[in-house]
Amino acid sequence: MAVENKETIDKRREEIMDACEKLYETMGFQGINIKVISTETSFSRPSIYNYFQTKEEIFLGLLTREYMKWNEDLKNIIGRNSDMDKDSLAEALATSMEERKTLLKISAMNLYEIEENSRAELLVEYKKVFKDSVELFDECLKKHLGVSEEKSTQIRYAFFPYMYGIYPYSYPTDKQISAMDEVKLSHMDTTIYEMTYQFLTLIL
């Protein structure tokens, strides 16, 4: 068997992750497995195991890719020439988060299980990219608002845990809405952008 080069491996991993992401738009995490993913790719089920050992590793790769995309958005915010006030920075960060629906969904619904069932080296790779996100977020605050290290840490420890609740509030299921209506629990239609923006304007 010929040895694949890194470019070929990366391309095939991307195809598998694309298929997983497409399925995740309409299926729950539990219903997705490597056999189902293979039907959306040009690979057989056994072939996928050459690139990922578990479906959780595919999701972890997808999550890593999502954070890498967000990091590019954060770098663009940092790179803006003029300083931004609190409102414009909140708008920019909320806009960047609006594009990361898959990141928010995985983080809210399945992160613990994904991390637990992935190889350590892949988890370390993901944590490195996540660390970059944390540092870039801090840099956004320091550059545009001039906040101190202590204040930046406080904001970060408020915002990153909050991120895990954005998706469920923005995309409640019909069953959840029906149950809330039955017990007369107030709820409102909201979006990822609105939830992110409103929270950031409170804490910045």
Side-chain angles (χ1 to χ4, degrees):
M1 179 179 174
V3 177
E4 294 176 320
N5 60 40
K6 185 178 185 304
E7 183 179 351
T8 300
I9 292 171
D10 289 346
K11 184 177 179 181
R12 291 180 176 178
R13 285 171 59 90
E14 287 290 322
E15 181 181 341
I16 294 165
M17 288 188 291
D18 287 345
C20 183
E21 183 172 21
K22 180 181 176 184
L23 290 165
Y24 198 47
E25 291 175 1
T26 58
M27 294 179 65
F29 179 79
Q30 298 302 328
I32 298 173
N33 55 44
I34 289 181
K35 182 179 179 181
V36 173
I37 293 170
S38 72
T39 65
E40 297 290 330
T41 70
S42 60
F43 307 110
S44 65
R45 183 172 120 185
S47 295
I48 290 178
Y49 287 109
N50 292 323
Y51 307 99
F52 299 97
Q53 291 186 0
T54 64
K55 78 168 182 182
E56 287 84 3
E57 289 188 356
I58 301 173
F59 274 94
L60 187 65
L62 182 53
L63 185 59
T64 302
R65 185 172 74 177
E66 281 289 295
Y67 270 104
M68 290 174 71
K69 291 178 180 178
W70 190 42
N71 289 349
E72 291 305 309
D73 291 337
L74 293 175
K75 288 175 187 176
N76 289 334
I77 294 171
I78 292 166
R80 295 187 185 181
N81 293 326
S82 59
D83 286 342
M84 306 170 74
D85 60 18
K86 293 179 181 181
D87 189 66
S88 57
L89 181 57
E91 286 180 353
L93 290 169
T95 299
S96 74
M97 197 93 283
E98 190 175 31
E99 300 297 318
R100 304 274 70 85
K101 177 182 174 182
T102 300
L103 182 157
L104 295 172
K105 184 177 181 182
I106 294 173
S107 298
M109 312 288 273
N110 311 111
L111 183 59
Y112 185 87
E113 188 173 353
I114 288 167
E115 291 191 355
E116 189 65 22
N117 292 290
S118 296
R119 283 170 287 172
E121 60 266 30
L122 297 181
L123 186 55
V124 168
E125 182 182 320
Y126 158 65
K127 293 297 184 182
K128 284 179 181 176
V129 175
F130 179 80
K131 180 186 175 188
D132 289 342
S133 299
V134 170
E135 292 174 349
L136 289 166
F137 182 83
D138 282 350
E139 195 172 341
C140 285
L141 302 180
K142 290 171 185 173
K143 178 184 176 183
H144 293 296
L145 302 183
V147 301
S148 66
E149 183 72 36
E150 181 181 2
K151 180 67 173 176
S152 177
T153 300
Q154 291 172 345
I155 293 171
R156 181 209 318 154
Y157 273 92
F159 180 70
F160 277 83
Y162 176 82
M163 280 172 54
Y164 299 136
I166 292 175
Y167 181 85
Y169 274 88
S170 301
Y171 293 93
T173 66
D174 291 340
K175 187 176 183 180
Q176 289 170 326
I177 292 171
S178 177
M180 287 187 283
D181 288 342
E182 187 169 333
V183 300
K184 295 181 172 54
L185 176 62
S186 63
H187 57 89
M188 58 182 288
D189 291 335
T190 188
T191 66
I192 290 172
Y193 176 89
E194 289 166 347
M195 286 200 64
T196 306
Y197 173 76
Q198 289 170 7
F199 185 73
L200 285 171
T201 54
L202 288 173
I203 66 171
L204 290 180

